Amino acid sequence: QVQLVESGGGLVQAGGSLTLSCAASGSTLSNYVMGWFRQAPGKEREFVAGVRWLDGYTYYKVSVKGRFTISRDNAKNTVPLQMTSLLPEDTAIYYCASVRGPVVFSTSKNYDFWGQGTQVTVSS
């Protein structure tokens, strides 16, 4: 069982930056895949970025590649998501998720554990 708690959401102007954090507890994460997903009003939840805990391999949604950076902090058991050059279309609730790997990163059904989400609002 893995518990996930997101933090760091807020309101930011277009072009600005924000860093989300996902604090994980309850299990050793060395064999886990960690993902960030988002859901905008009226839209389905979509994959944003993922990281394989064991070796740090990362994978991104095409539209955020080069703007967002996912990583993992072994000492703190956290998964930061650094977001830069934010656009109004990045507005959504952002969720952290985890699953014991290996899995296809981008499929939300593959993930077993989810956080409660944190709101990100980008104003134009």
Side-chain angles (χ1 to χ4, degrees), residues 92-104:
I93 299 174
Y94 282 70
Y95 297 91
C96 179
S98 68
V99 62
R100 195 177 178 90
V103 298
V104 174

Side-chain angles (χ1 to χ4, degrees), residues 4 21 33 68 108 114:
L4 304 171
S21 184
V33 165
F68 292 9
S108 62
W114 293 83

Side-chain angles (χ1 to χ4, degrees), residues 15-117:
S17 301
L18 206 59
T19 297
L20 306 181
S21 184
C22 173
S25 62
S27 182
T28 302
L29 298 174
S30 57
N31 293 318
Y32 276 73
V33 165
M34 308 295 293
W36 279 98
F37 290 77
R38 66 188 182 188
Q39 187 166 18
K43 295 188 177 181
E44 292 188 356
R45 188 172 298 186
E46 63 176 6
F47 171 78
V48 175
V51 61
R52 191 164 56 206
W53 198 279
L54 184 64
D55 58 6
Y57 172 82
T58 58
Y59 185 73
Y60 295 92
K61 175 182 173 63
V62 170
S63 64
V64 308
K65 199 169 185 180
R67 299 191 297 124
F68 292 9
T69 303
I70 189 173
S71 60
R72 85 271 192 254
D73 186 321
N74 283 306
K76 297 180 180 178
N77 258 22
T78 59
V79 182
L81 180 68
Q82 296 176 297
M83 305 185 294
T84 64
S85 302
L86 283 162
L87 305 168
E89 49 263 46
D90 293 319
T91 295
I93 299 174
Y94 282 70
Y95 297 91
C96 179
S98 68
V99 62
R100 195 177 178 90
V103 298
V104 174
F105 280 56
S106 58
T107 303
S108 62
K109 293 179 181 178
N110 287 341
Y111 290 78
D112 294 324
F113 306 105
W114 293 83
Q116 81 289 349

